Amino acid sequence: MPVPELPEVEVSRMGVSAHLDGRVISNIVVRTPKLRWDIPTSQLQSLIGHQIVRVSRRAKYLVIETAGGDIIIHLGMSGSLRVIDKDVALKKHDHVDIAVGNKVLRLNDPRRFGAVLFSDIDTAHAVFAKLGPEPLTDDFNSGHLIAKCAKRKAAIKLVIMDNPVVVGVGNIYANEALFLSGIHPQTPANQVTKKQLKSLTTVIKEVLAAAIKQGGTTLKDFSQTDGKPGYFAQSLYVYGRGGQKCLKCESTLEEVKLGQRASVFCPQCQRKRMCSKVINNLISYDG
Ligand SMILES: [Zn+2]
């Protein structure tokens, strides 16, 4: 099971939203005192009786908004949400229930890296403090990415996965976007051309939007009691395909570790760009 990425979280948001928007919270049950962080049970329970205005998303956080405060949920490495009848038997790792009448939003998280937090309506929660723009909004544009890359020597793959630069580009979609833009993942960010960064900006939006659209088609199963909602078979060019043939040129895809995450690329379609200094040295050796 892959880590939930932005498309999975957005699809979960759509599924949850359809069941929760406009409903009144009738109960909140916390069975586990701590996931990644302590769960603020009494603050959360202060929202019983409040109507859910909407379920929104910021980066990979779901935000259940009420006039009394917000419930913030992060799925971590292995979290999933189901909307089920309130008398459905508990499964192992079912940690939190948010009930609306006879339905329950139930969080399951075997590895417990997820989070359930409370935010009052006056102040933004600390988890939102250093987040960059949302990738699918106009705030994330080529000018922004070019500015962020100008002074960074880190590998471009690490820069596009850095939350202060842009949120929600996880390992799967970073691999895919770099392949589709023809950029080697280890290229220092400040050596990627402006033209390539423009292409990368567009492609990041396209791969995320396509994944959300694909996930949306499986949404009808969201409230089933079995199976994980929000995950979908994906057609991927490079992620998880190291050692296999490139779907464009049939070269063998290579794999390197970057920031402990697998990076798969095509050595033909994603050539490493050499800076002019290196090229000049090569010329002088030749001559
Ligand atoms: Zn190729």
Side-chain angles (χ1 to χ4, degrees), residues 89-185:
L90 289 173
K91 290 184 181 180
K92 198 174 180 187
H93 311 300
D94 279 343
H95 302 301
V96 176
D97 279 1
I98 298 167
V100 289
N102 56 4
K103 292 278 184 187
V104 163
L105 174 69
R106 186 164 285 171
L107 172 67
N108 184 280
D109 184 5
R111 294 183 63 183
R112 302 189 183 199
F113 280 106
V116 183
L117 304 166
F118 174 85
S119 174
D120 65 46
I121 54 169
D122 297 325
T123 46
H125 196 281
V127 293
F128 298 141
K130 288 181 182 167
L131 297 181
E134 287 287 327
L136 294 172
T137 66
D138 293 341
D139 291 341
F140 177 62
N141 54 54
S142 56
H144 170 82
L145 188 59
I146 289 166
K148 289 290 179 187
C149 288
K151 290 179 182 172
R152 296 280 295 267
K153 291 179 188 165
I156 184 65
K157 179 162 182 263
L158 297 178
V159 173
I160 58 171
M161 291 179 69
D162 189 17
N163 275 334
V165 174
V166 56
V167 299
V169 182
N171 196 36
I172 296 175
Y173 301 104
N175 273 290
E176 294 297 298
L178 288 167
F179 172 77
L180 291 167
S181 311
I183 303 170
H184 192 291

Side-chain angles (χ1 to χ4, degrees), residues 31-107:
R31 299 186 189 86
T32 308
K34 187 180 180 206
L35 294 175
R36 182 170 183 178
W37 298 300
D38 289 341
I39 298 179
T41 303
S42 58
Q43 284 180 308
L44 294 173
Q45 287 175 338
S46 74
L47 298 177
I48 294 170
H50 280 276
Q51 187 183 37
I52 294 169
V53 178
R54 70 178 74 78
V55 181
S56 57
R57 180 187 57 74
R58 177 75 175 105
K60 295 204 296 184
Y61 293 93
L62 289 179
V63 185
I64 299 173
E65 301 179 26
T66 83
D70 298 338
I71 303 169
I72 301 169
I73 298 175
H74 195 286
L75 298 176
M77 306 286 283
S78 60
S80 62
L81 293 165
R82 289 172 294 155
V83 178
I84 47 182
D85 289 333
K86 70 173 175 10
D87 47 6
V88 169
L90 289 173
K91 290 184 181 180
K92 198 174 180 187
H93 311 300
D94 279 343
H95 302 301
V96 176
D97 279 1
I98 298 167
V100 289
N102 56 4
K103 292 278 184 187
V104 163
L105 174 69
R106 186 164 285 171
L107 172 67

Side-chain angles (χ1 to χ4, degrees), residues 202-274:
T202 305
V203 168
I204 285 172
K205 290 173 186 281
E206 286 172 354
V207 295
L208 291 173
I212 291 168
K213 196 174 173 192
Q214 201 174 359
T217 63
T218 66
L219 206 58
K220 62 183 184 296
D221 294 331
F222 188 81
S223 62
Q224 304 261 325
T225 55
D226 52 353
K228 301 279 184 186
Y231 296 93
F232 25 94
Q234 303 187 55
S235 42
L236 299 171
Y237 284 98
V238 289
Y239 177 80
R241 298 193 65 244
Q244 298 180 40
K245 296 252 177 281
C246 173
L247 297 175
K248 277 190 184 170
C249 76
E250 302 203 327
S251 301
T252 302
L253 298 177
E254 295 180 10
E255 184 167 333
V256 289
K257 289 270 184 194
L258 266 173
Q260 276 128 36
R261 308 296 298 275
S263 299
V264 181
F265 63 95
C266 172
Q268 283 302 317
C269 298
Q270 295 165 272
R271 298 224 184 179
K272 224 173 190 173
R273 186 177 136 82
M274 284 186 279

